[in-house]
Amino acid sequence: MPHFIIHCSEGITRVHSKKEIMEQVYNQAVASELFVKGDIKVRVQSFDEFIAGEGSDDFIHVFGNIMQGRTDEQKSNLSRRIVSALNGLFPQVPIISMNVRDFEKASYCNKAMV
């Protein structure tokens, strides 16, 4: 916890590797000081077939799944930080976005909890 899942078009992985993309997201999550460094998980999934609006422009979208308890301002700053870093890597990509979703403590469970 937290989990950052990056969806992107396959085309962007020819500009920077999946590892580079994940490292950018990881580094920004660490820099936000909202999480314990060792708890941050990042993964990426690229798509070779997709529809993005009326075309097929390259895209990046990050789904941030975090434990509830952060303020709207903290979540907004996290999104802006990550989108800005990705925009620095991919200034030519027209669609770079992120949203943050809260895990509810009451319904969250992991292996160590059972």
Side-chain angles (χ1 to χ4, degrees):
M1 180 79 55
H3 296 268
F4 295 93
I5 299 126
I6 306 159
H7 283 184
C8 64
S9 54
E10 186 68 33
I12 71 156
T13 64
R14 292 191 268 295
V15 178
H16 291 284
S17 72
K18 289 181 180 181
K19 183 177 181 182
E20 289 175 290
I21 298 165
M22 289 187 294
E23 286 174 345
Q24 278 292 332
V25 172
Y26 179 85
N27 290 339
Q28 293 306 314
V30 169
S32 75
E33 299 183 344
L34 295 175
F35 315 108
V36 175
K37 188 175 183 179
D39 291 346
I40 300 167
K41 292 143 186 87
V42 181
R43 53 193 173 274
V44 64
Q45 182 175 17
S46 59
F47 299 89
D48 60 351
E49 294 183 24
F50 59 90
I51 297 171
E54 294 183 12
S56 57
D57 289 334
D58 283 328
F59 72 92
I60 304 169
H61 184 83
V62 181
F63 297 91
N65 299 294
I66 67 173
M67 187 60 71
Q68 69 183 58
R70 287 12 181 260
T71 67
D72 288 343
E73 182 179 8
Q74 288 172 316
K75 291 185 279 188
S76 176
N77 288 339
L78 176 64
S79 292
R80 290 180 182 280
R81 174 184 292 279
I82 289 173
V83 169
S84 292
L86 292 171
N87 190 51
L89 272 184
F90 299 99
Q92 75 286 3
V93 174
I95 304 167
I96 302 176
S97 55
M98 178 173 174
N99 68 295
V100 177
R101 302 182 283 202
D102 291 335
F103 281 111
E104 293 180 5
K105 288 180 184 179
S107 62
Y108 178 76
C109 184
N110 66 31
K111 180 179 177 176
M113 297 167 71
V114 294

